[in-house]
């Protein structure tokens, strides 16, 4: 009874031709049929109604199909098509019980369902049992002939028929041996095959191409039940391993995998009901397509919700994940393997195509995570590169060597990370991300290189500025004939030193030759431009420098000592020398001479301005100098002429003051009256002179008066007082006369008593006089608004000496700067 319960008898198609999808799915789930793959067999039974088909199946396969009750009469028992699990037979076997043919319930003319069920059985079953009576063998109008015709006719409707085993079961055998019955039966089968109309493609086909014909005989179940059961048990053994080579269905082909059996059976019955020709190969492909797609979708859905994959996807959002490729490959391999195991029995082409689709969808699902991981690896490698490069540069490593070493190590680590992230099922190329990383590294190298080179350039430019600015300015301050030669030597020396050091320093950058030459040339250009800029700055103050040069030469002798105007100096010559020096300075500053090209600027200036040579046209009536490029001109000829005119006007006062000082010196040292006055005094004073000679007391008195007058002269510094004018001298002497007399009397009294009072220094009287003069007389220089002249006064025993006035203010500077700008 337990075996009967396990057979799960189910009506597959009812009498009205409705397919029981739910029942079939329940049958497959209950019997675990879906997991059988190709290891299963389907055995169908066909035959006339009430010929004992169900009884045969029940005894042969231990099923529980409904059997006819002989005591209630002969009538239709099985309606439609039923299936059951053949318990105890390996491999998994399904018994299919078809509705009997030639039944009175459907009538003589209603053979549609017979043909449909026969075609369905031939399309699905591997073995078809033809149940027939022994007494029908050899009879022309036997009941089995219409059945065979039906079988052969519907077989032709299969585009590519399966090779099916037809097992003729002869019921209620007689004493006639089977070996005599079987040839007759085979002959009848062949005749039926020959007369059945065939399509053109199978017109000459032989029966053995489509069917394996087997014959067996059984005793009567009603009369010889025990013998019947023994023979059935013997026949049952032939169904064990029936699909193995040599078995009943050993040469079958075009088998649908068990997991697709339900869909295949539904589609076959649908085509049969629509009265369409059944293309079994196309049907097999269709079943494979549907089932493989279902399997693939189910695996993809499970992959999408897989906890391991979700954990990896979440982890890769925040950073790199170690062993990403191995973990993800294992997850993918799990679902791909499950697909392979479930779809292994379906059509190979369809199976492989759907697997590729599954792989494509799965890889599309995980590819964003892979790209995220590569992005993390790229970012990490770039940051590591930056820190390593900075550290190596701090340690003094050469830039190019450091950049190469860091690049190599970081790219190697990135490649290792990519290898760790690689998925076995995909041949993803990380070269684009690698190229992006390499571009980022190269860009950073370029940025750091440019920054470092900029720092070096700035450092050496500053060094050049310090070594050139002040020396060049000093050379311009003391400009002479060899000024530009000295500047060129200084520029060449300092530039080559800086270029040499700079070249050595940047050698570690391993720059290409054109770039290095460009940078070295840039440093040379900077030094040259620096000198040119300084020259332009100095040229803007040329008028000041010319007046300073004039003042220096005019006010100092050849030993650079301040010049004292004693009346012996040739002011005209000195003035010419001073102007010559100033004009030479103007000639030096008129143009930049860094290329050692000769010019005639100095000759033109001296011939036009100093010598006064007039030529036509005027060489200074131009805005350019001959043989001098426009970019090297600092002061144009027209500007030189204007500057010289302004210079002469502003230095004229200094020359005038020098002449005045010289005349004042001459006056201060000439106290004797004119010769005619002396002669008149001798003639007119002869009598008085003789009187003095005759009376020595007068002579003594005069001598004493001379001594007192001399003392008073010295004490009051009479020459010094009159140096500043007659009126000022008289006022000063009158204010100092009485104090001087009292001072002399006091000294005489002290000497008479034996005490000596020190003589007050002459400087005190001079200070007192100067104080009085400042109070009584306004400053004579206050009347000069734009320039002031001061004289150095020195007092000696021989008299008063004057030094040349110094020019302390300069006019017209603003005018020159306007012209130069």
């Amino acid at each position: 009874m337990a075996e009967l319960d396990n057979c799960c008898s189910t009506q597959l198609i009812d009498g009205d031709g409705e397919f029981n999808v739910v029942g079939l799915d329940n049958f497959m789930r209950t019997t675990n049929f879906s997991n059988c793959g190709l290891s299963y067999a389907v055995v169908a039974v066909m035959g006339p109604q009430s010929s004992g088909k169900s009884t045969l199946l029940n005894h042969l396969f231990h099923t529980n199909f409904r059997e006819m009750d002989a005591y209630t009469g002969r009538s239709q028992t099985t309606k439609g098509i039923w299936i059951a699990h053949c318990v105890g037979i390996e491999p998994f076997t399904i018994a299919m019980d078809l509705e009997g043919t030639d039944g009175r319930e459907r009538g003589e003319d209603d053979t549609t369902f017979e043909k449909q069920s026969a075609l369905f059985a031939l399309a699905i079953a591997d073995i078809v049992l033809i149940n027939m009576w022994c007494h029908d063998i050899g009879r022309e109008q036997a009941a089995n002939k219409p059945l065979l015709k039906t079988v052969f006719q519907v077989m032709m409707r299969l585009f590519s028929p399966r090779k099916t085993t037809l097992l003729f079961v002869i019921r209620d055998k007689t004493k006639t041996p089977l070996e005599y019955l079987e040839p007759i039966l085979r002959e009848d089968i062949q005749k039926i095959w020959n007369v059945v109309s065939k399509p053109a493609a199978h017109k000459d086909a032989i029966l053995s191409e489509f069917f394996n014909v087997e014959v067996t005989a059984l005793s009567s179940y009603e009369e010889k039940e025990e013998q019947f059961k023994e023979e059935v048990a013997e026949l049952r053994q032939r169904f064990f391993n029936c699909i193995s080579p040599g078995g009943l269905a050993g040469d079958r082909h075009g088998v649908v995998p068990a997991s697709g059996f339900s869909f295949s059976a539904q589609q076959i019955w649908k085509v049969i009901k629509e009265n369409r020709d059944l293309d079994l190969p196309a049907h097999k492909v269709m079943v494979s397509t549907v089932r493989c797609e279902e399997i693939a979708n189910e695996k993809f859905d499970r992959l999408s919700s897989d906890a391991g994959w979700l954990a990896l996807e979440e982890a890769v959002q925040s950073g790199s994940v170690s062993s990403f490729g191995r973990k993800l490959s294992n997850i993918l391999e799990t679902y791909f393997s499950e697909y392979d195991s479930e779809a292994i029995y379906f059509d190979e082409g369809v199976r492989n195509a759907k697997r590729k689709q599954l792989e494509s969808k799965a890889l599309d699902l995980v590819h964003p995570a892979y790209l995220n991981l590569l992005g993390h690896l790229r970012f990490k490698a770039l940051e590591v590169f930056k820190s390593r490069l900075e550290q190596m540069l701090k340690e003094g490593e050469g830039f190019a060597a450091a950049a190469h070493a860091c690049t190599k190590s970081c790219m190697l680590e990135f490649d290792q990370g990519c290898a760790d992230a690689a998925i076995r099922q995909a041949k993803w190329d990380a070269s684009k991300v690698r190229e992006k990383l390499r571009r980022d590294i190269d860009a950073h190298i370029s940025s750091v290189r440019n920054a470092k080179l900029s720092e070096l350039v700035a450092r050496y430019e500053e060094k050049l500025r310090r070594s050139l600015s002040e020396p060049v300015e000093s050379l311009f301050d003391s400009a002479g004939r060899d000024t530009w030669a000295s500047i060129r030597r200084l520029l060449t020396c300092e530039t080559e030193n800086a270029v040499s050091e700079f070249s050595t320093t940047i050698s570690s950058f391993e720059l290409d030759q054109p770039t290095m030459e460009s940078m070295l040339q840039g440093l040379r250009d900077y030094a040259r431009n620096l000198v040119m800029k300084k020259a332009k700055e100095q040229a803007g103050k040329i008028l000041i420098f010319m007046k300073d040069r004039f003042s220096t030469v005019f006010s100092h002798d050849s030993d650079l000592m301040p010049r004292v105007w004693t009346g012996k100096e040739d002011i005209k010559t000195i003035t010419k020398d001073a102007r010559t020096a100033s004009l030479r300075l103007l000639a030096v500053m008129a143009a930049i001479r860094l290329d050692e090209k000769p010019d005639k600027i100095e000759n033109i200036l001296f011939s036009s301005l100093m010598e006064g040579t007039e030529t036509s046209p005027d060489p200074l009536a131009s805005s350019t100098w001959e043989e001098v490029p426009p970019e090297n001109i600092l002061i144009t000829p027209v500007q030189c002429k204007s500057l010289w005119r302004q210079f002469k006007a502003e230095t004229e006062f200094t020359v005038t003051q020098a002449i005045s000082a010289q005349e004042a010196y001459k006056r201060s040292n000439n106290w004797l009256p004119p010769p005619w006055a002396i002669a008149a005094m001798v003639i007119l004073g002869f009598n008085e002179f003789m009187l003095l000679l005759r009376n020595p007391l007068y002579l003594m008195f005069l001598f004493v008066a001379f001594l007192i007058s001399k003392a008073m002269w010295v004490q009051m510094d009479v020459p010094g007082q009159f140096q500043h004018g007659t009126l000022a001298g008289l006022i000063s002497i009158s204010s100092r006369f009485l104090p001087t007399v009292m001072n002399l009397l006091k000294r005489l009294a002290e000497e008479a008593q034996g005490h000596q009072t020190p003589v007050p220094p002459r400087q005190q009287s001079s200070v007192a006089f100067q104080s009085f003069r400042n109070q009584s007389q306004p400053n004579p220089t206050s009347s000069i608004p734009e320039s002031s002249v001061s004289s150095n006064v020195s007092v000696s025993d021989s008299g008063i000496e004057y030094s040349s006035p110094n020019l302390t203010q300069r006019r017209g500077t603003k005018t020159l700067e306007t012209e130069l700008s």
Side-chain angles (χ1 to χ4, degrees):
M1 290 298 295
E3 289 185 353
L4 295 180
D5 292 338
N6 292 334
C7 70
C8 297
S9 177
T10 303
Q11 187 178 34
L12 183 63
I13 299 173
D14 63 15
D16 297 326
E18 296 297 327
F19 197 95
N20 185 9
V21 178
V22 176
L24 178 58
D25 292 341
N26 181 65
F27 171 83
M28 296 180 67
R29 183 171 54 255
T30 303
T31 60
N32 202 24
F33 174 47
S34 300
N35 298 327
C36 292
L38 298 179
S39 182
Y40 74 96
V42 179
V43 179
V45 62
M46 300 172 62
Q49 179 177 304
S50 302
S51 60
K53 301 186 298 300
S54 300
T55 302
L56 174 62
L57 293 178
N58 290 339
H59 286 82
L60 185 59
F61 299 117
H62 300 173
T63 56
N64 58 356
F65 293 119
R66 181 184 175 189
E67 300 179 7
M68 183 189 70
D69 186 359
Y71 297 100
T72 60
R74 306 183 69 84
S75 63
Q76 186 180 49
T77 304
T78 303
K79 293 183 179 182
I81 300 175
W82 288 70
I83 60 173
H85 175 211
C86 301
V87 180
I89 294 182
E90 292 295 335
F92 189 98
T93 303
I94 297 176
M96 182 181 296
D97 190 8
L98 273 66
E99 180 180 318
T101 61
D102 197 22
R104 64 181 179 83
E105 286 78 6
R106 291 192 179 272
E108 183 178 353
D109 298 327
D110 188 7
T111 59
T112 302
F113 187 79
E114 292 181 7
K115 294 181 179 180
Q116 290 177 345
S117 60
L119 180 58
F120 182 78
L122 289 174
I124 291 179
D126 302 300
I127 303 172
V128 176
L129 302 179
I130 306 296
N131 201 36
M132 59 182 303
W133 301 111
C134 180
H135 53 75
D136 285 337
I137 297 176
R139 296 170 55 189
E140 186 65 28
Q141 301 298 326
N144 64 331
K145 286 190 176 181
L147 176 61
L148 288 177
K149 288 183 180 179
T150 299
V151 170
F152 293 154
Q153 287 175 354
V154 298
M155 194 66 175
M156 294 298 102
R157 294 181 59 188
L158 301 178
F159 285 164
S160 179
R162 306 171 62 206
K163 192 167 187 179
T164 306
T165 298
L166 296 181
L167 178 57
F168 288 86
V169 179
I170 302 175
R171 302 292 297 277
D172 298 344
K173 65 179 180 178
T174 60
K175 294 181 180 180
T176 305
L178 180 61
E179 54 268 21
Y180 294 115
L181 295 176
E182 183 174 352
I184 300 173
L185 180 59
R186 289 182 178 275
E187 183 179 354
D188 291 341
I189 294 173
Q190 186 64 46
K191 290 180 179 180
I192 297 173
W193 173 259
N194 292 336
V195 299
V196 170
S197 60
K198 305 178 186 66
H202 303 291
K203 184 177 181 180
D204 299 325
I206 60 177
L207 178 65
S208 60
E209 292 181 6
F210 296 92
F211 297 102
N212 292 323
V213 178
E214 299 287 340
V215 180
T216 188
L218 298 177
S219 300
S220 173
Y221 174 69
E222 294 179 355
E223 298 176 0
K224 301 177 181 178
E225 181 177 356
E226 292 300 326
Q227 187 176 354
F228 172 82
K229 290 181 179 180
E230 292 177 1
E231 292 170 349
V232 168
E234 184 179 351
L235 178 62
R236 174 184 173 88
Q237 297 301 318
R238 298 186 63 181
F239 289 92
F240 282 90
N241 300 316
C242 63
I243 61 175
S244 300
L248 286 176
D251 56 350
R252 66 174 183 167
H253 56 270
V255 182
V256 175
S259 61
F261 180 83
S262 175
F263 178 77
S264 176
Q266 295 175 47
Q267 295 299 314
I268 289 175
W269 182 248
K270 180 181 178 181
V271 171
I272 291 174
K273 284 199 68 178
E274 293 174 354
N275 198 27
R276 289 184 289 145
D277 291 337
L278 186 61
D279 187 351
L280 286 184
H283 173 76
K284 179 183 178 183
V285 171
M286 180 192 66
V287 173
S288 299
T289 301
V290 174
R291 278 299 300 149
C292 289
E293 188 167 349
E294 289 177 353
I295 297 171
N297 290 337
E298 187 263 337
K299 301 309 173 186
F300 180 77
D301 292 340
R302 287 181 57 195
L303 171 64
S304 301
S305 58
D306 186 85
W309 153 242
L310 294 177
L312 279 178
E313 185 180 30
E314 182 178 358
V316 84
Q317 297 294 330
S318 57
S320 59
V321 180
S322 60
S323 303
F324 175 86
R326 178 179 59 80
K327 295 176 181 178
L328 186 55
S329 296
N330 292 339
I331 293 174
L332 292 175
E333 187 62 31
T334 298
Y335 293 102
F336 292 161
S337 298
E338 291 180 2
Y339 170 86
D340 292 337
S341 62
E342 294 183 24
I344 188 172
Y345 301 114
F346 290 102
D347 183 79
E348 182 179 3
V350 175
R351 180 178 72 241
N352 293 338
K354 294 301 177 182
R355 191 185 198 280
K356 289 181 179 179
Q357 292 180 8
L358 173 62
E359 290 178 354
S360 178
K361 289 175 63 177
L363 295 179
D364 289 343
L365 176 67
V366 302
H367 191 250
Y370 174 76
L371 292 180
N372 278 340
L373 180 60
L374 291 186
H376 291 308
L377 292 175
R378 181 183 65 82
F379 179 78
K380 179 181 178 181
L382 182 60
E383 293 302 313
V384 170
F385 172 81
K386 291 179 179 179
S387 60
R388 287 182 183 174
L389 180 62
E390 182 179 1
Q391 183 63 30
M392 293 184 72
L393 292 179
K394 286 182 179 179
E395 294 174 355
E397 187 72 23
F399 183 85
H404 178 73
C406 292
T407 300
K408 183 177 180 181
S409 62
C410 291
M411 293 304 295
L412 179 61
E413 291 178 5
F414 176 78
D415 291 339
Q416 292 174 349
C418 290
D420 182 68
I423 300 173
R424 293 193 303 269
Q425 294 82 1
K427 294 182 180 180
W428 288 330
D429 187 8
S431 60
K432 291 185 177 179
V433 180
R434 192 179 192 278
E435 291 174 1
K436 178 67 168 61
L437 172 61
R438 189 55 188 262
R439 289 196 300 270
D440 292 342
I441 289 177
D442 291 342
H444 183 70
I445 291 175
S446 178
S447 175
V448 175
R449 182 194 297 115
N450 292 338
K452 295 294 183 182
L453 290 176
S454 297
E455 292 178 4
L456 290 175
V457 169
R459 185 195 310 168
Y460 279 92
E461 286 180 351
E462 177 62 20
K463 183 178 180 181
L464 279 173
R465 190 191 64 80
R466 290 197 304 267
S467 61
L468 288 176
S469 293
E470 294 183 359
V472 169
E473 187 173 346
S474 176
L475 288 172
F476 281 132
D477 288 342
S478 60
R481 293 182 181 275
D482 60 344
T483 297
W484 283 108
S486 300
I487 291 175
R488 287 194 295 269
R489 287 194 296 272
L490 175 66
L491 175 62
T492 302
C493 179
E494 295 297 335
T495 301
E496 291 307 316
N497 288 340
V499 166
S500 177
E501 293 180 12
F502 183 70
S503 177
T504 303
T505 303
I506 65 174
S507 61
S508 63
F509 288 84
E510 296 183 3
L511 302 174
D512 56 88
Q513 192 64 27
T515 302
M516 179 173 287
E517 289 296 332
S518 175
M519 297 189 70
L520 297 180
Q521 186 60 41
L523 200 60
R524 294 187 182 97
D525 293 342
Y526 173 81
R528 184 183 179 92
N529 292 335
L530 181 65
V531 173
M532 295 176 68
K533 181 180 179 182
K534 183 60 65 175
K536 292 178 181 179
E537 291 177 0
Q538 297 298 97
K541 300 181 286 185
I542 186 59
L543 185 58
I544 297 175
F545 296 144
M546 289 173 65
K547 289 189 289 186
D548 287 344
R549 178 65 60 86
F550 178 85
S551 178
T552 300
V553 176
F554 189 79
S555 302
H556 295 78
D557 58 18
S558 59
D559 296 328
L560 298 181
M561 297 298 293
R563 195 183 299 277
V564 178
W565 304 106
T566 61
K568 300 177 181 180
E569 295 80 5
D570 186 357
I571 293 180
K572 182 177 180 181
T573 303
I574 294 174
T575 301
K576 184 176 180 180
D577 292 342
R579 287 178 176 175
T580 299
S582 298
L583 187 59
R584 183 169 291 114
L585 176 61
L586 178 61
V588 170
M589 298 303 300
I592 298 173
R593 302 173 177 86
L594 294 178
D595 298 324
E596 290 190 71
K597 294 181 179 179
D599 58 65
K600 301 176 182 180
I601 295 177
E602 185 173 344
N603 295 336
I604 294 174
L605 289 177
F606 272 87
S607 63
S608 300
L609 301 178
M610 286 295 295
E611 299 173 3
T613 304
E614 294 185 3
T615 59
S616 181
D618 185 359
L620 297 182
S622 174
S623 60
T624 59
W625 296 103
E626 292 183 6
E627 301 178 358
V628 178
E631 63 271 12
N632 288 344
I633 296 177
L634 298 176
I635 307 173
T636 64
V638 175
Q639 291 173 334
C640 287
K641 189 173 183 179
S642 176
L643 284 169
W644 184 253
R645 185 167 56 251
Q646 186 175 353
F647 165 75
K648 288 180 67 177
E650 294 187 9
T651 57
E652 195 70 33
F653 183 75
T654 303
V655 177
T656 303
Q657 289 297 317
I659 295 173
S660 299
Q662 196 176 51
E663 291 177 354
Y665 180 83
K666 291 178 181 180
R667 288 195 304 268
S668 65
N669 286 278
N670 190 11
W671 295 96
L672 294 177
W676 61 267
I678 296 176
M681 288 174 64
V682 171
I683 296 172
L684 295 176
F686 180 77
N687 293 333
E688 288 78 6
F689 179 72
M690 293 303 295
L691 180 61
L692 290 175
L693 289 178
R694 293 190 186 101
N695 192 348
L697 291 176
Y698 286 122
L699 186 61
M700 180 64 69
F701 178 76
L702 289 174
F703 179 71
V704 173
F706 171 75
L707 291 177
I708 293 173
S709 298
K710 181 66 175 175
M712 293 290 291
W713 183 280
V714 173
Q715 286 293 324
M716 291 188 296
D717 190 17
V718 175
Q721 305 307 320
F722 281 96
Q723 181 180 357
H724 303 288
T726 304
L727 180 60
L730 291 175
I731 294 173
S732 178
I733 291 173
S734 63
S735 64
R736 299 179 64 185
F737 178 76
L738 185 57
T740 303
V741 172
M742 294 301 293
N743 186 33
L744 287 175
L745 294 177
K746 184 178 180 181
R747 288 179 62 190
L748 290 173
E750 289 177 352
E751 287 179 358
Q753 295 176 3
H755 300 286
Q756 186 175 0
T757 301
V759 179
R762 191 181 305 171
Q763 185 177 5
Q764 293 178 359
S765 62
S766 176
V767 171
F769 167 73
Q770 185 70 20
S771 175
F772 172 76
R773 183 176 64 84
N774 292 338
Q775 295 174 2
S776 60
Q777 182 178 343
N779 189 351
T781 63
S782 63
S783 62
I784 304 173
E786 294 187 6
S787 63
S788 62
V789 180
S790 62
S791 300
N792 295 327
V793 182
S794 60
V795 181
S796 63
D797 293 342
S798 61
I800 303 172
E801 296 179 352
Y802 292 87
S803 63
S804 63
N806 293 325
L807 186 65
T808 60
Q809 293 188 2
R810 300 168 179 83
R811 296 174 295 176
T813 304
K814 184 175 182 181
T815 304
L816 172 60
E817 293 175 353
T818 303
E819 292 180 2
L820 292 180
S821 64

